[in-house]
């Protein structure tokens, strides 16, 4: 399966180039610093309220590990229970197949042309991942985003930059301008004299969306979780717009990544405590919608569940990388990441930004299509500490960096400068004599390019190292030379063994 088949965006400049442009945007950095700092502080406060917080994390991690080891079993159980409850299950191997399934389902709903040419959507990363809105548009079907942040992104002809808060890169003045300029093109225009007060902006969005909720015959949703034993699908959100999508239309189509399944309904007890605290810093989610199949006279009368692979099975085969599939899309790792806070989500070129995107996207689309993303990290470990399901993101990053280097090596006829340098370092460190000689040469060379007690600009390819680092000069005397000069001959500790001479 190629990266093009998988979609997940990309096609943008590699992370180093995109990040450089983002770093120059002072307004973006201010927006990100303020928003991530607020969410981060709230999360820490509410997590500290639970004495068993770490036990919840351990339990969630264990449930996810078990589920991934037996994923085929739980998916078949889910198909059986959803079907028994009156739903229809579809299997999609990739983005193209998923888009075709959804498009055909919308076309088959009947009714007037206007009714079948539009759908309302509740926030779904899976549909963003496969490019569903664009696929529907190509088929003459218009998709309306109803989550407020997603609406802002759609009206602004933009892309989400955060898992939880897709419009985190926009401030309220920018949002007001977008509403005033674009709402009329999509439906009800913004009120005259709209201010940038959050209450006024929310009211403008409510009025704009209400007519779409009441008119739409088809809704498309994602899923946060699915219980295999009951066939219950779960969507959590903060505004209530999702509840409108999930109850008013006649047909509901849910696109869900296969990794979202849980073995049992009882498992939700753990995850519905972890998710709101980790994502929005709330003790419980404002709107948690659960549905099982269809019920006559209540809610949608046609329910379709599209189970999406799109690179997940290939990811599952990687014993180290597969832990990324445990992600519950809380965005806690983004909010603590120093790299994300300074570059924003667009620099990652993926629907999944931040630390989790740096490990998930390369596995979904192939490391050769996203080779720079595993390097978009300081490896500080803050993401691992924050993750509610204990995904060891730094471990996966290092693992994928090795894969990226190996993939690049296979495509080159000649080794890179870095590879030659590492080979030379290995040769020097394997011999005490060569290491001592290399240390002397390095100390002398460093002083030739010294600037104010620091190593200045190095020549050639080495300039990429010195341009981005403030490196102190190496000491004039190495440890080995200091040891020879200062050691005493009688009963001294051996540097190699820590034993004193004469001991037996």
């Amino acid at each position: 399966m190629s990266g093009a088949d998988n979609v997940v965006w990309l096609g943008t400049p590699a992370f180093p180039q995109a990040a450089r442009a983002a770093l120059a945007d002072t307004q973006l950095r201010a927006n990100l610093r303020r928003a991530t700092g607020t969410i981060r502080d709230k999360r820490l406060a509410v997590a500290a309220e639970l004495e068993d917080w770490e036990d919840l994390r351990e339990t969630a991690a264990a449930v996810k590990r078990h589920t991934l080891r037996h994923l085929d079993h739980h998916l078949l159980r889910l198909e059986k229970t959803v079907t028994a409850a009156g739903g229809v299950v579809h299997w999609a191997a990739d983005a193209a197949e998923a888009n075709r399934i959804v498009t055909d389902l919308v076309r088959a709903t009947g009714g007037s042309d206007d009714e079948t040419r539009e759908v309302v959507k509740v926030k779904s990363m899976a549909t963003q991942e496969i490019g569903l809105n664009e696929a529907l548009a190509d088929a003459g079907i218009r998709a309306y985003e109803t989550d407020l942040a997603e609406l802002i992104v759609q009206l602004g002809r933009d892309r989400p930059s955060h898992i939880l808060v897709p419009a985190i890169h926009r401030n309220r003045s920018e949002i007001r301008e977008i509403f005033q300029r674009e709402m009329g093109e999509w439906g009800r225009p913004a009120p005259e004299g709209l201010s940038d007060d959050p209450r006024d902006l929310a009211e403008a969005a409510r009025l704009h969306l209400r007519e779409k909720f009441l008119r739409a015959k088809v809704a498309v949703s994602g899923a946060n979780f699915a219980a295999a034993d009951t066939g219950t699908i779960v969507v959590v959100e903060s505004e209530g717009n999702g509840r409108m999508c999930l109850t008013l239309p006649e047909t509901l189509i849910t696109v869900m990544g296969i990794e979202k399944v849980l073995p049992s309904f009882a498992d939700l007890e753990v995850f519905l405590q972890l998710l709101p605290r980790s994502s929005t810093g709330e003790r419980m989610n404002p709107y948690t919608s659960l549905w099982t199949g269809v019920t006559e006279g209540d809610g949608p009368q046609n329910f379709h569940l599209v189970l999406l692979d799109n690179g997940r099975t290939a990811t599952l085969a990687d014993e180290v990388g597969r832990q990324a599939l445990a992600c519950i899309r809380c965005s806690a790792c983004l909010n603590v990441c120093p790299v994300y806070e300074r570059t924003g989500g667009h620099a990652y070129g993926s629907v999944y930004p931040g630390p989790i995107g740096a490990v998930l996207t390369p596995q979904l689309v192939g490391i050769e299509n996203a080779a720079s993303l595993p390097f978009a990290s300081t490896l500080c470990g803050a993401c691992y500490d924050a993750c509610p399901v204990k995904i060891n993101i730094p471990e996966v990053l290092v693992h994928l960096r090795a894969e990226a280097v190996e993939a690049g090596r296979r495509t080159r006829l000649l080794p890179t400068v870095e590879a030659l340098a590492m080979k030379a370092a290995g040769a020097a460190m394997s011999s005490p004599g060569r290491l001592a000689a290399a240390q002397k040469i390095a100390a002398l060379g460093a002083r030739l390019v010294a600037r104010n007690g620091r190593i200045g600009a190095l020549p050639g390819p080495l300039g990429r190292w010195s341009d981005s680092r403030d490196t102190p000069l190496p000491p004039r005397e190495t440890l080995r030379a200091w040891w020879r000069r200062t050691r005493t001959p009688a009963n001294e500790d051996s540097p190699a063994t820590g034993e004193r001479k004469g001991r037996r």
Side-chain angles (χ1 to χ4, degrees), residues 24 76 100 279 289 358 500:
L76 291 174
R100 178 184 57 77
S279 57
S289 300
R500 290 185 177 275

Side-chain angles (χ1 to χ4, degrees), residues 365-449:
V365 303
I367 189 68
E368 67 279 3
N369 296 306
S372 67
L373 288 185
F375 298 89
S377 171
T378 64
L379 297 180
C380 67
C383 51
Y384 184 25
D385 292 338
C387 179
V389 292
K390 305 195 76 169
I391 301 171
N392 193 339
I393 294 178
E395 177 187 37
V396 184
L397 285 167
V398 173
H399 171 68
L400 293 177
R401 289 181 182 188
E403 287 196 355
V405 170
E406 181 60 24
R409 187 192 64 79
R410 290 194 298 266
T411 61
R412 293 189 181 94
L413 295 177
L414 298 174
T416 63
V417 173
E418 182 182 22
L420 292 173
M422 292 298 104
K423 189 172 183 179
M429 292 181 182
S430 64
S431 165
R434 287 196 293 266
L435 177 59
Q439 288 175 327
K440 291 180 180 179
I441 295 172
L444 176 61
R447 279 166 173 75
L448 293 177
V449 293

Side-chain angles (χ1 to χ4, degrees), residues 73-254:
H73 169 69
H74 295 302
L75 288 172
L76 291 174
R77 289 177 65 216
L78 178 65
E79 180 184 35
K80 183 177 179 180
T81 53
V82 169
T83 303
V88 180
V89 176
H90 309 262
W91 298 81
D94 55 27
E97 187 173 9
N99 288 332
R100 178 184 57 77
I101 290 170
V102 175
T103 301
D104 290 347
L105 289 173
V106 175
R107 284 173 168 166
T109 54
S112 69
D113 287 344
D114 288 341
E115 291 171 345
T116 57
R117 281 204 297 262
E118 65 180 32
V119 301
V120 290
K121 288 183 63 194
V122 57
K123 183 179 177 182
S124 164
M125 301 206 72
T127 60
Q128 294 169 0
E129 174 188 326
I130 63 177
L132 178 62
N133 286 9
E134 293 78 6
L136 291 175
D138 290 341
I141 302 167
R142 199 169 200 184
Y144 295 103
E145 298 289 352
T146 63
D147 175 86
L148 177 56
E150 292 287 355
L151 174 66
I152 295 166
V153 169
Q154 185 177 52
L155 293 178
R157 297 176 175 83
D158 203 350
R159 285 180 168 179
S161 63
H162 192 275
I163 289 176
L164 178 69
V165 194
I168 197 172
H169 56 288
R170 299 288 193 184
N171 61 37
R172 61 189 190 181
S173 296
E174 293 173 309
I175 294 170
R176 179 194 59 198
E177 294 174 4
I178 291 172
F179 280 8
Q180 290 176 325
R181 184 178 67 247
E182 301 293 340
M183 272 187 169
E185 296 295 321
W186 290 79
R188 179 169 178 157
E192 291 290 334
L194 177 66
S195 76
D196 64 0
D197 184 274
R199 290 172 296 182
D200 292 341
L201 296 173
E203 177 66 8
R206 187 187 71 81
L207 294 173
H208 177 77
L209 291 170
R210 183 54 59 95
E211 63 181 31
K212 294 177 172 38
F213 289 135
L214 297 175
R215 185 177 66 232
K217 302 299 181 183
V218 183
V220 176
S221 85
N224 291 95
F225 309 103
D229 61 342
T230 62
T232 302
I233 312 300
V234 184
V235 164
V236 297
E237 39 115 11
S238 299
E239 302 162 8
N241 292 334
R243 183 71 57 83
M244 304 283 278
C245 287
L246 299 168
T247 56
L248 291 179
E250 296 174 1
T251 298
L252 174 60
I253 304 168
T254 296

Side-chain angles (χ1 to χ4, degrees), residues 38-47 49 164 274-284 335:
T38 299
I39 299 173
R40 184 167 61 241
D41 292 343
K42 290 176 62 179
R43 182 190 68 84
L44 288 172
V46 296
E49 295 175 352
L164 178 69
L274 289 170
L275 181 56
R277 285 178 166 83
S278 298
S279 57
T280 57
E282 296 170 293
R283 295 177 181 87
M284 68 180 295
N335 299 326

Side-chain angles (χ1 to χ4, degrees), residues 330-366:
C330 69
S331 74
C333 63
L334 280 71
N335 299 326
V336 299
C337 178
V339 176
Y340 175 86
E341 184 179 306
R342 288 158 178 79
T343 65
H346 291 157
Y348 294 82
S350 168
V351 66
Y352 303 113
I356 189 62
V359 296
L360 185 58
T361 300
Q363 296 188 88
L364 294 181
V365 303

